[in-house]
Amino acid sequence: ADADDLLDTLEAKIGSSDPPLVLGLDAIEDPRNMGSILRTSECAGVHGVFIAERRAVGLTGTAAKTAAGALDRVPVARVINLVQLIEQLKQRNIWVIGAAADGSSDYTEWDWTVASALFVGSEGSGLHRLVRERCDALVRIPVYGQIESLNVSVAAGVILYEALRQRAAKREQNRNSLSVEKSGG
């Protein structure tokens, strides 16, 4: 997808019953992780994925095979500079949240029902410093074992499905509110 067109499409969803849910991939290097993230993104209803042009795996055959058809269904745009992308998202009233092992709050504490862009970082070093600094918030997934973090594709899936859960709960709450109003309660 063209990055500018995708940004315009996302902006048009602001204030709707289905606010933008965006994913930014910072230096993902493994094509299987890329494919898995794209597949999960499609399944979780992500409206668009942004990937860096450099220092990251491209949309290779391995990534496409692992994505299992998701590339045909979720818009993916390449951008030259993720920091500039973050500023463009913020200008469009989309909150930018980074996933980091040292995040200041748990991923379940963020209100994913608002227009949100989740940024996940490379398998080894996580988010680049400038990307981290530009995020509105950094969230973490609690880990209780001795390994410090989850695989990036698993982490993206955990957080995206929390966003999906919160959004479904809000839709149900709104439906129940409408039912009460219509019944005069």
Side-chain angles (χ1 to χ4, degrees), residues 15-76:
S16 74
S17 61
D18 187 25
L21 179 58
V22 184
L23 188 60
L25 305 181
D26 183 9
I28 304 302
E29 298 168 350
D30 184 320
R32 287 173 199 81
N33 280 339
M34 173 72 78
S36 181
I37 290 168
L38 293 173
R39 183 175 183 167
T40 302
S41 296
E42 197 284 326
C43 291
V46 168
H47 299 108
V49 177
F50 292 93
I51 61 176
E53 279 189 13
R54 291 186 224 122
R55 296 185 316 234
V57 68
L59 299 176
T60 66
T62 300
K65 184 176 181 181
T66 307
L71 281 174
D72 297 332
R73 294 180 177 86
V74 63
V76 178

Side-chain angles (χ1 to χ4, degrees), residues 4-138:
D4 291 328
D5 291 344
L6 182 52
L7 285 167
D8 290 343
T9 300
L10 297 170
E11 185 175 24
K13 297 179 85 44
I14 300 290
S16 74
S17 61
D18 187 25
L21 179 58
V22 184
L23 188 60
L25 305 181
D26 183 9
I28 304 302
E29 298 168 350
D30 184 320
R32 287 173 199 81
N33 280 339
M34 173 72 78
S36 181
I37 290 168
L38 293 173
R39 183 175 183 167
T40 302
S41 296
E42 197 284 326
C43 291
V46 168
H47 299 108
V49 177
F50 292 93
I51 61 176
E53 279 189 13
R54 291 186 224 122
R55 296 185 316 234
V57 68
L59 299 176
T60 66
T62 300
K65 184 176 181 181
T66 307
L71 281 174
D72 297 332
R73 294 180 177 86
V74 63
V76 178
R78 288 172 116 13
V79 296
I80 294 172
N81 187 313
L82 288 177
V83 173
Q84 289 176 356
L85 169 66
I86 289 171
E87 295 308 316
Q88 292 173 314
L89 290 165
K90 288 180 177 186
Q91 289 169 0
R92 288 169 170 80
N93 295 315
I94 298 173
W95 290 89
V96 179
I97 301 85
D102 62 348
S104 58
S105 61
D106 284 354
Y107 72 103
T108 56
E109 295 173 4
W110 180 258
D111 179 2
W112 295 102
T113 65
V114 299
S116 302
L118 169 64
F119 276 71
V120 295
S122 75
E123 295 87 343
S125 58
L127 296 170
H128 282 99
R129 181 184 59 81
L130 290 175
V131 170
R132 285 174 61 95
E133 289 174 1
R134 296 304 194 290
C135 289
D136 294 308
L138 294 175

Side-chain angles (χ1 to χ4, degrees), residues 101 123 141 143 146-151:
E123 295 87 343
I141 299 171
V143 178
Q146 295 187 14
I147 296 173
E148 291 181 10
S149 65
L150 296 171
N151 171 284

